[in-house]
Amino acid sequence: MSDDAEDVVGVLTEQIEQRFGMSIGELKTAVAAAPDANRQATDVVRWHGLLTESQTALERAEDDLLRALETQPSEVDDPTMDLAHRVNAAVTARDGRAMVVRWLLDPDAPGKRGPDADRLARLDRGRRQGPAVPTSAPARPATAPATGRGVLR
């Protein structure tokens, strides 16, 4: 893996820290204490966590592939090829999550301006805090009709 690819998490972490003016650890602590205080910070922390998880999975997959390749003769067997596919899938997952973090950090990203973004912002501001339907049992009349055993009609 190239140094540039390995540093994707580092570069994005620096951008997050610059954007919010605190270390990623401090930001995670702040979001954990008040997740509704800043929705963008909450989203960025969530996706940064997913990004670091996928980077760790990628590193494990690469290590497994390298170990398998060291023991291979000239031709690669199916289990080793499966490890190579696992590395490719891990790169794809990591890169996709990195794209989401970049999008979250870019105020001018596509979809963040214009009529669609304005409509989504209005919908979000009008979001209900409670349930949309009543959740308590309906009121019962003061005198319920007499039914059941032992009642004469």
Side-chain angles (χ1 to χ4, degrees):
M1 178 186 283
S2 71
D3 289 337
D4 293 337
E6 286 180 9
D7 205 29
V8 168
V9 176
V11 168
L12 289 173
T13 300
E14 287 178 21
Q15 291 175 1
I16 292 168
E17 291 173 345
Q18 289 174 357
R19 163 70 178 82
F20 292 98
M22 61 180 75
S23 74
I24 193 70
E26 293 169 331
L27 184 60
K28 287 178 181 180
T29 300
V31 165
D36 296 328
N38 184 329
R39 184 172 179 176
Q40 184 187 25
T42 302
D43 290 344
V44 166
V45 165
R46 176 177 172 258
W47 281 96
H48 182 269
L50 293 171
L51 174 62
T52 56
E53 285 176 15
S54 60
Q55 179 66 37
T56 301
L58 171 58
E59 290 167 2
R60 271 187 264 132
E62 287 176 328
D63 291 344
D64 293 347
L65 177 60
L66 288 174
R67 275 192 297 278
L69 288 172
E70 289 172 353
T71 64
Q72 289 294 304
S74 61
E75 290 192 29
V76 176
D77 62 8
D78 288 340
T80 305
M81 191 56 108
D82 289 342
L83 290 172
H85 291 302
R86 195 173 104 204
V87 169
N88 285 337
V91 168
T92 301
R94 192 270 322 267
D95 289 351
R97 290 172 176 181
M99 288 173 46
V100 172
V101 172
R102 284 186 191 114
W103 184 85
L104 289 169
L105 292 172
D106 183 0
D108 297 321
K112 287 191 169 183
R113 301 221 184 249
D116 289 338
D118 293 341
R119 184 170 33 97
L120 286 173
R122 280 193 307 274
L123 289 172
D124 190 42
R125 279 193 302 268
R127 187 173 43 170
R128 293 176 183 251
Q129 296 300 318
V133 295
T135 56
S136 59
R140 300 194 74 182
T143 58
T147 61
R149 297 174 121 193
V151 176
L152 298 174
R153 291 189 179 221

